[in-house]
Each structure stands twice: as C-alpha cells, then as structure tokens.
Amino acid sequence: MASELTSVTSVAVYDLSDRTQIELQGADRAKFLHGFCTNDIKALGPGQGCEALLTNIKGRVLGHVFVFATPQSLWLDTVPGQETALISHLDRYLIREDVQLIGRSQERGELFVTGPHAAQLLTLDEGLPVYGSVAREAFGNALDIRRVDFLGEPGFLLSMPRSALQTTLLSLQAVGCHIGSAEEFESRRIAAGFPCYGRDITDENIAQEVARTKQCISFTKGCYLGQEPIARLDAMGHTNRELRRIR
C-alpha cells in the first residue's frame, strides 16, 4: 500500500493508539460473544462487523464496542482503558467453551484516517461498508483497516503493531494528510454526536438511553445477557431520557 499512496486533500489522520483492542479466538467465539452483547454476532462473516453494547443482567451498559470478524477471530475495539474490565466480565462466564480472550492493546495501536477521500488515499478501490474490515500489508507490517464513521464521514481505523505507528503516520503526512490533535478529534466527535463510553455513557445507562438503538441493538437475535429488560422496554415502555446533542 505504501507505494500506491497518492496525494489527496481533505483527509485527516488522528492517533488513537490508546484505544482498547481485544481478540477472541477459538471455535466457540461467535456463539459465546453473541450471548453477551446486543447485536447479532453469529450473523457476521469474515470482513464484516457491527456496533454493539455489552450489558449486564439489568440491561445496563458495560461497554460500547465495535466487533470485527476475520477468518480466525473476532476483534473488539472500544475506548481506552477498557481491556481489563471487559475481559474480566466475559471471562467470568467462560466454562467449557473454546474461547480465548486476548488483550492486544499494549502491542497494537491505531491511526484513524477520515475524510471524503480517505478510501481513495488508502487505495480501497471498492470501498468498505460501515464496520467492514480488510487486512493489508504496509511498510513491512500487516495491518487491519476497519471502517468506523466516528465523524459522520468515511473513516478508517488502521490497527497495526505499535512499532509501525510512527512510520505510518509520517508516510500519511507525506502524501498530504492533515495530522490532527486529540483535542481536534474530540471536538469533531462531539459535533458529529458520536458517544464516548465513560464520558457520555456509563453503566448507569440502560441500552436504549444511548440513542444508538438502530446501530447497536438487534431485537431478533435471541437471548443474551440483559435481553429481557431491553426487549420489555422496547415492547411496553419508553426511555425517560436519551443522549442528545445541544447546539
């Protein structure tokens, strides 16, 4: 990919290398994760993904994650500092399932490339659907490109070994990417109305209060931890509050 990068305007890159990345391996990984989050994990094929909430038995939110499927594993991607809590939560329910929960946050980082021409810059000629992913080789390292539109425009998380972060960042800058700051990303995230777990969402919120029901919750997937209160609220009630932007 490095040799194919061309100069494209209106593309920004942000260093999000402190985000949490967890890999699930094992033959039972999809069935297992399906039972602990709000979206349909068993329906995902390689290269596909989804947005989901991990909930407790009361339907309260323990994590807001992206799930990406590869032929060998499932990857959870979420806000910084969640690795220990999420692995601990899931591990307590592992009994005989063939599932391995592997924290990857220390060894892998992420750059976020976003803008109207981001797919062109990354030579994704066919594009990627939202939450789609593809494995690529760049600068001598394997990386995974995962589409997440944090900012209301095409955006791609580039997950790679931490040793490759600086080289990749400088190469993107050399072909015309604007290098954005953490403050700039946060300002744009808020403007786009994309929630951040730990700031906008906590475990005091029930799933529908996050206002990501369409993106995160399947009402046809069957049973999972927290499904009963979430389904009951959908069928019989309404939330008293939901996350909103104020302009």
Side-chain angles (χ1 to χ4, degrees), residues 19-25 54 65-66 68 73-78 82-88 90 100-105 146:
R19 287 180 64 81
T20 295
Q21 298 185 67
I22 299 169
E23 184 180 10
L24 281 73
Q25 297 180 355
L54 275 74
V65 302
F66 302 105
F68 302 100
S73 58
L74 293 171
W75 286 79
L76 302 184
D77 186 287
T78 188
Q82 287 287 95
E83 182 175 287
T84 299
L86 293 185
I87 289 179
S88 177
L90 294 171
Q100 295 82 49
L101 304 167
I102 308 167
R104 299 295 192 191
S105 309
R146 303 161 176 166

Side-chain angles (χ1 to χ4, degrees), residues 55-193:
T55 53
N56 64 18
I57 196 168
K58 296 181 179 180
R60 298 191 180 275
V61 180
L62 302 179
H64 177 209
V65 302
F66 302 105
V67 183
F68 302 100
T70 75
Q72 298 82 24
S73 58
L74 293 171
W75 286 79
L76 302 184
D77 186 287
T78 188
V79 297
Q82 287 287 95
E83 182 175 287
T84 299
L86 293 185
I87 289 179
S88 177
H89 168 67
L90 294 171
D91 185 63
R92 65 186 293 196
Y93 295 102
L94 273 175
I95 302 175
R96 295 182 179 178
E97 295 87 354
D98 178 14
V99 177
Q100 295 82 49
L101 304 167
I102 308 167
R104 299 295 192 191
S105 309
Q106 296 302 311
E107 63 190 76
R108 296 185 72 84
E110 289 181 302
L111 301 176
F112 182 62
V113 179
T114 184
H117 303 293
Q120 178 185 351
L121 182 116
L122 296 172
T123 65
L124 296 170
D125 297 331
E126 302 299 323
L128 274 180
V130 179
Y131 314 124
S133 63
V134 63
R136 286 287 177 86
E137 185 83 16
F139 315 113
N141 291 286
L143 59 81
D144 294 294
I145 302 176
R146 303 161 176 166
R147 181 168 174 183
V148 178
D149 295 353
F150 285 124
L151 306 182
E153 62 184 12
F156 303 90
L157 286 165
L158 277 56
S159 172
M160 67 192 76
R162 288 187 173 270
S163 59
L165 284 169
Q166 188 63 21
T167 300
T168 306
L169 184 63
L170 292 174
S171 297
L172 290 167
Q173 185 179 33
V175 296
C177 278
H178 162 70
I179 308 299
S181 66
E183 293 78 11
E184 179 185 307
F185 176 82
E186 183 68 357
S187 177
R188 294 186 64 187
R189 178 192 71 79
I190 294 169

